[in-house]
Amino acid sequence: MPMQLKIRRSHSGCRPCRRRGKRCDEAKPSCRACARLSLECSYGVNFSFRNTNGVQFLQHAASRLDYPSNGPCIIGVNISNSLGKISNAAIPAALSSEDNLEFGYLNHFREHVRHLLPAVSPQIADGFLQSPCLWYAVLCISASNLSMLNARVQSRTLVGNSRRSVFSPLVNILHHNNAQKYHNMALEYYSNAKQEEVKHQAPALLAAHVLLAYYHHASTDHLSFRLAVENSVRFVLQNRASIMDSRDGAGSLQMWYRLCASHRPAKPPALILEGAGASIIGPNPLPDVSEHLYLRCILDMNVDDLIYDILIKTLEIRTKLVVFRSVAGSCQISELSSEIGSLAYEIMNKMLGRQCVPDELTEAREGCVRGSHLLALLEVQKERLKVWRSRLHTDRLFEHNSPFAERFLTHRDAMNALYYMLCEITFVEANAGPSSEGTQAYSANIASMAHHMCQIAGQLSFSMSNTSDVYTLSVAEVLLQLAFACRSDGLFHHILDSLWPQLEMGGKGYEHSHYPTHLVKRIIAQVAAYWEKGRAVTFALPAVAENISKLRLLDIDRPVDLVVCGYNKDGQHFIEKALLP
């Protein structure tokens, strides 16, 4: 007799079972109850708010938990224990004030946001009550997350052309404005803090810097995000002794290093790569005074952070490689030419509508990593990928040429597998140039990995993906990179006509902090249109100003130009600007 799945009542069951008050076996993609009743089975958390004043709640919690009178004081309340203890305290039946959302934000952070933040440690996540700056940063990131979570939707539906039909959320202005308010309060506290206070709270203040940077990434604009990351680097270099000597310093450093990794893909490809020296546009944690910090961050990474770091570095190197190839082919110069860096910088900035900065141009001109040097750097990442696989526990190991159904224990394991195979495809694609027929000479191994990547993506719960991958590389962005590296009619059909309708059904009204999802779909559709004309697109970048707000990028009716790199049927490289439909 086959083993029966144990059905249990929990808060993690699917929405239909929770709504009906029934037990759920939590099977994916559909539980047995939903399959039997032909219901749409989806997983996720439904959020609600109580009319509760945060200050009164904390006073009530403090009185129930008997905090000592000499503990650290936050907003007039003595709090020193973790958020977990406070969440277990009995909540007053009714409280009200103009701060009635504050407790809701705290609860949303504890129940949801803290689990999404990359490399966050339990000590940091639970210890924010000990630092007013981190307290406000927590409220900021929570309000920011809610502003784009299950929001109202704007849509553009074209009958008979689903590839050009798009959806995008309309930001909740109340949460958006509250996030800005808490951001300003966190910065005000930090700017007024005394040096001894900064030294004592260094790990918490670094965590606050990280959360505020993620807030900019998700809710404001890329320029503010870049400046926030640079501020975090400056803070680390100024307070590295206090951070490294602290019990919670290692956790804060891992959060910070993961933030630095998230920042790298947006760096102009002509500038110096991370680890290759000091750059005008930071952060480059290596070399010189921060070298020990860099090594500590690298050595302390867990397997999830390591595969993400490898992926981001691999994509950063690939972007530089394909842009240099397109510029070299268009300008009829060698990829190894000493002029390639400055030419790439000037051409890309002109097409993107950005001004050339003299210091950046000098850095691009003096950069020595190009051509075969970039291929050698990809080999380094290939060796790191082997190290990552060696660190996987046996129940998380997988082979790309074996069936993937029911193999992954968690959503993160499945996403890590996508990251791994995208890296492997990139390594082979980077060494293969366009053939005389204008097509890429892919091995059967690469075609197999692309097929299995689509299989894994199809098995994901997109409701979970759209709420779990907010601050990391989402499945939509993985599919975009796959479309750049591995082009075929079958692949575009599977991504745009099979996977994307499922993604929109499960994720409509949600948004990530990287590329707006509607832009990703439009770019992939444009890459497919180029392919139908016999032109291969290897890289594309929206031509938008660095300070353009996320609210404007989410607008599906806003015209956007696209800078496109690739090659024609005859193998001739091109770089051009086109309007994104």
Side-chain angles (χ1 to χ4, degrees), residues 192-210:
N192 294 328
K194 298 178 181 179
Q195 184 58 39
E196 190 62 29
E197 222 175 339
V198 172
K199 181 179 178 180
H200 177 70
Q201 299 182 24
L205 291 175
L206 176 56
H209 275 82
V210 173

Side-chain angles (χ1 to χ4, degrees), residues 161-181:
N161 191 355
S162 61
R163 292 188 175 187
R164 299 296 184 185
S165 300
V166 291
F167 300 86
S168 189
L170 293 167
V171 173
N172 184 298
I173 297 300
L174 170 65
H175 297 315
H176 181 80
N177 291 341
N178 282 339
Q180 178 67 51
K181 177 185 73 173

Side-chain angles (χ1 to χ4, degrees), residues 263-546:
H263 171 268
R264 292 201 303 266
K267 188 175 181 177
L271 300 186
I272 291 176
L273 294 168
E274 189 269 336
S279 175
I280 298 299
I281 295 184
N284 271 3
L286 187 78
D288 300 331
V289 297
S290 57
E291 182 174 356
H292 182 57
L293 282 173
Y294 177 83
L295 294 176
R296 179 168 176 177
C297 292
I298 291 291
L299 294 174
D300 288 346
M301 282 192 293
N302 61 33
V303 291
D304 294 338
D305 295 329
L306 179 57
I307 185 61
Y308 184 80
D309 188 67
I310 295 169
L311 173 68
I312 294 300
K313 287 184 178 178
T314 298
L315 295 180
E316 184 184 19
I317 296 168
R318 180 193 179 273
T319 298
K320 193 180 187 80
L321 182 66
V322 297
V323 169
F324 278 16
R325 282 179 177 172
S326 296
V327 170
S330 301
C331 299
Q332 300 297 310
I333 63 173
S334 168
E335 291 181 47
L336 294 176
S337 170
S338 59
E339 300 177 6
I340 190 70
S342 57
L343 277 174
Y345 178 80
E346 291 174 331
I347 291 173
M348 288 294 291
N349 272 27
K350 182 178 180 180
M351 290 191 173
L352 292 170
R354 301 173 183 173
Q355 291 185 340
C356 289
V357 180
D359 289 342
E360 292 180 5
L361 180 59
T362 300
E363 178 181 322
R365 182 183 297 115
E366 294 177 352
C368 59
V369 179
R370 49 187 176 267
S372 58
H373 307 143
L374 294 170
L375 296 177
L377 290 178
L378 284 177
E379 287 297 318
V380 173
Q381 299 309 315
K382 191 173 183 179
E383 292 302 313
R384 294 185 71 207
L385 201 61
K386 294 178 182 177
V387 173
W388 173 76
R389 280 185 61 85
S390 72
R391 291 180 56 183
L392 288 181
H393 192 271
T394 53
D395 62 358
R396 301 180 72 180
L397 281 171
F398 61 90
E399 298 295 337
H400 72 261
N401 56 358
S402 62
F404 280 105
E406 308 294 337
R407 287 191 63 89
F408 298 104
L409 299 177
T410 67
H411 173 77
R412 181 50 44 205
D413 287 340
M415 290 301 299
N416 288 348
L418 290 176
Y419 293 168
Y420 166 81
M421 286 185 287
L422 183 57
C423 288
E424 289 282 18
I425 288 176
T426 301
F427 298 149
V428 175
E429 181 251 359
N431 286 282
S435 68
S436 57
E437 290 79 21
T439 58
Q440 204 80 5
Y442 295 114
S443 67
N445 185 37
I446 293 301
S448 174
M449 282 195 290
H451 172 71
H452 285 306
M453 283 186 69
C454 291
Q455 279 191 325
I456 295 175
Q459 293 172 11
L460 292 173
S461 167
F462 289 112
S463 296
M464 179 181 293
S465 177
N466 279 274
T467 55
S468 298
D469 300 327
V470 176
Y471 305 108
T472 187
L473 202 73
S474 68
V475 64
E477 293 166 294
V478 168
L479 294 175
L480 174 63
Q481 295 299 327
L482 180 61
F484 288 156
C486 207
R487 299 158 297 276
S488 71
D489 293 332
L491 179 67
F492 291 131
H493 169 72
H494 195 79
I495 292 176
L496 292 170
D497 304 326
S498 178
L499 290 177
W500 216 273
Q502 299 176 49
L503 188 150
E504 289 178 331
M505 183 181 301
K508 193 181 297 182
Y510 297 89
E511 193 49 66
H512 305 288
S513 60
H514 292 249
Y515 266 121
T517 308
H518 78 92
L519 272 183
V520 175
K521 181 182 182 182
R522 291 163 66 187
I523 293 172
I524 296 176
Q526 188 73 341
V527 174
Y530 268 75
W531 182 252
E532 290 176 354
K533 297 177 183 178
R535 309 181 79 195
V537 174
T538 55
F539 178 69
L541 188 66
V544 296
E546 197 180 19

